[in-house]
Structure formats: structure tokens, C-alpha cells
Amino acid sequence: MQNVTLKVEGMSCNHCVKAIEGALEEIGASGKVNLAEKTVQVEYDENKVNVESIKEAIEDQGYDVV
Amino acid sequence: MQNVTLKVEGMSCNHCVKAIEGALEEIGASGKVNLAEKTVQVEYDENKVNVESIKEAIEDQGYDVV
Ligand SMILES: [Cu+2]
Ligand SMILES: [Cu+2]
């Protein structure tokens, strides 16, 4: 398993947390949002998912990965 | 039809807008959230819904009517 922590702009509430964590789950990754630090910590299987698809899943929810 | 505009704290994103407008729809009222002004403008039939139940529907979503 690999870990990556992304800086994400635009997350403001628990709905945002669920939207992002849910979108990551859908691509087979596991995310943990920290609203205060504006980060998303993602654990993923590098044989199934890559960082680009993780970023895309987050951006598709309307947030900016910076 | 009656109209009331409530000041609501804690709304931060479009998910909040949908949560509140959806909850009002469920009790048969029609709400319009203004995130910038922190207000919810509600139109309702006073024979079916009252202000107390409107406040309750909003608070049940986790927001404070002030
Ligand atoms: Cu949100
Ligand atoms: Cu929100």
C-alpha cells in the first residue's frame, strides 16, 4: 500500500468530507480528510490506483488539488 | 403563502444549500439559501407548516437558526 497526502482547497464542512472520502472509496482508495489542515491523506494500492486518478476523483467533486 | 427569512449559522458550501433546501422540501416548504448573507428565505403554506417546524427542519440538518 502507498500513502499520499494532498493539499486540497475548498473543503468546508462534513458534507465535503463525505463527498471526497466517498469518491475515493469508489475508485478503491481510502481517504481521510483533515478540514483544519486542508489535507486529504490517501492510502491506495499502487497496482490498482495512481495519484493522477486520486486527484481526478477529488477534482470531480469540485475541489482543487494544489 | 407566507414568507419568512431566517438567519442561519454554519452553512458553508453547496452541500449545505442542498441539505437545507431538501429538508424544507420534505416538510412541504420551499427554501432558498443565500450563503453570503447567511440567510434562508422560506415560502410556506401557513395551513400546513409553521415557523417552528421550519426552524426544526434546519436545525435537524446541523445548523443554528439565530
Ligand atoms: Cu461542504
Ligand atoms: Cu457544506
Side-chain angles (χ1 to χ4, degrees):
Chain A
M1 295 297 259
Q2 290 278 114
N3 270 279
V4 64
T5 299
L6 301 168
K7 195 92 184 170
V8 178
E9 295 286 352
M11 307 181 299
S12 59
C13 77
N14 281 325
H15 295 118
C16 297
V17 173
K18 280 184 195 163
I20 287 177
E21 292 180 352
L24 292 172
E25 206 172 314
E26 266 181 37
I27 63 164
S30 169
K32 197 153 174 49
V33 172
N34 185 317
L35 279 180
E37 295 180 1
K38 301 183 181 179
T39 55
V40 183
Q41 195 185 330
V42 188
E43 189 178 66
Y44 63 102
D45 181 341
E46 64 271 36
N47 295 314
K48 296 180 185 167
V49 184
N50 59 39
V51 176
E52 272 318 300
S53 56
I54 288 168
K55 286 184 181 175
E56 204 176 292
I58 293 172
E59 288 172 344
D60 282 353
Q61 293 299 314
Y63 303 95
D64 288 326
V65 181
V66 293
Chain B
M1 296 297 259
Q2 289 280 115
N3 271 279
V4 65
T5 299
L6 302 168
K7 195 92 184 170
V8 178
E9 296 286 353
M11 307 180 298
S12 60
C13 77
N14 281 325
H15 295 118
C16 297
V17 173
K18 280 184 194 162
I20 287 176
E21 291 181 353
L24 292 171
E25 206 172 313
E26 264 180 39
I27 63 164
S30 170
K32 197 157 173 44
V33 172
N34 184 319
L35 278 180
E37 294 180 1
K38 300 182 181 180
T39 55
V40 183
Q41 196 184 329
V42 188
E43 189 178 67
Y44 62 102
D45 181 340
E46 64 271 36
N47 296 312
K48 295 180 185 166
V49 184
N50 59 39
V51 177
E52 272 319 301
S53 54
I54 289 168
K55 287 183 181 174
E56 203 176 291
I58 293 172
E59 288 171 344
D60 282 353
Q61 293 300 315
Y63 304 95
D64 288 325
V65 181
V66 292

